[in-house]
Amino acid sequence: MNFTMKYPKQVKIGDITIRDGLQHEEKFISTDAKLYYTEQLILAGVKRIELTNLGNPHNMPQFRDAEELLQRVRNSKSLSRAGVNWNDIELTTVTIRESAVDRAIELKKRGCGPDRILMMVSTDEQHHYANSGLTLPEYWKEAERCIRKATDVGLKVNGTVSTIWGSPISGPTDMKDAIAFTKHWLDIGATDIEHADHDGSSSPDQAYRYFAMLLDAIPNPDVHLAHFHTTRGWGLANVLAALQAGICIFESTLGGLGGQPANFMDDCPIPGTGGYYYKDPNSVGLVSTEDMLLMMEEMGIETGIDVDKILKLGVLFERTIGRRLRSAAILHGRIPKEPNDSYKRKGLKERKERLGEKSDQVFPE
């Protein structure tokens, strides 16, 4: 009898620390730090990086250095010396509205732009309006126009679907709506789809149900990626559920950072996207890159990423952020594979000999 769980043996991981992870931080993280962690993530084997947001920095000043960061990553001497092949790397920027898409296109023409942009809809129109200022029909028209423009200059376009399992504004939602939204994104030319649990509403059984429904309706795992927040502690359980449904592309952040855009920066209130949805804004981050990679390695899933480098990077990242983050893996390390003599209680061998027991005996004769 086969007692092995069924799931993909090879997956792709997109690290979105530098954008989604940092958008929730209430202090500005230096461009030097953003560059350093981007370089180190790539050198550790991460090939999909979500780097910044090209929207108006008035609302999210964490990304006021977007163009500078893109240029510095593209011109990185560290990556050049390491022989990084840019054809293997995919840099993504968030471009919720058309003005940001136009900015990405201009940067692409200048040779320092992203490879992929991200636009976003929520199945809950109230949530969508809070994020974009547009109704859903208005936004779909804008998205279709933007996709045509972006495709013309060689930009991939990710269409994100949010509030799949519920909305912090309107409450319960219907998962079937997200399937319809996914089909519409693909119909208007999106390259791939991010299926996002932005507020940690999904339980593992519902994550499995949705992704099983999705792959039944659109059976191409290469166009679907899972994005789980771990607000209520279910993030990795949802990753496992999605794996079992057949999903093989996931997103995460160092330390499990991320969440709703900050409405405070350094010493000053800022717009963000309005008031926080949660009592504790530190509880809304994504699945931790460190924890997810270590879990997948233990499960025999190939990621192509150096787990030890990521664990070391996670330790450094906590110092950059200035507080203990979510990763259990950097706190407790790898699962031991060898005996640790320092934990052994003295005298077991001698006691077994005195009692006439064999060294490997576990039951009485």
Side-chain angles (χ1 to χ4, degrees), residues 111-275:
C112 62
D115 306 296
R116 176 175 171 265
I117 59 173
L118 180 150
M119 301 188 75
M120 185 184 303
V121 293
S122 304
T123 59
D124 169 28
E125 193 165 31
Q126 287 286 356
H127 188 270
H128 178 82
Y129 183 70
N131 282 341
S132 70
L134 298 181
T135 69
L136 280 166
E138 278 184 296
Y139 193 81
W140 283 121
K141 290 178 183 178
E142 183 172 296
E144 185 170 3
R145 188 167 61 245
C146 289
I147 289 173
R148 286 198 301 268
K149 291 193 291 187
T151 303
D152 285 345
V153 298
L155 277 171
K156 300 175 185 176
V157 182
N158 170 270
T160 292
V161 180
S162 184
T163 63
I164 297 169
W165 295 275
S167 165
I169 298 177
S170 300
T173 56
D174 189 335
M175 290 188 291
K176 294 186 184 70
D177 292 340
I179 304 292
F181 278 41
T182 297
K183 289 180 177 177
H184 192 69
W185 270 126
L186 294 171
D187 287 344
I188 64 175
T191 313
D192 64 334
I193 311 299
E194 175 188 310
H195 304 270
D197 183 19
H198 281 149
D199 66 334
S201 292
S202 176
S203 56
D205 64 316
Q206 292 303 305
Y208 179 85
R209 180 167 176 254
Y210 172 73
F211 284 111
M213 288 167 50
L214 176 72
L215 289 170
D216 184 63
I218 309 167
N220 180 2
D222 292 336
V223 301
H224 303 299
L225 66 93
H227 173 116
F228 290 114
H229 284 236
T230 191
T231 308
R232 294 169 178 82
W234 306 333
L236 284 177
N238 286 336
V239 168
L240 178 59
L243 279 166
Q244 289 185 284
I247 295 298
C248 56
I249 309 175
F250 295 86
E251 290 185 332
S252 56
T253 60
L254 291 172
L257 276 189
Q260 188 179 358
N263 60 20
F264 208 90
M265 181 58 58
D266 295 329
D267 61 356
C268 184
I270 58 173
T273 53

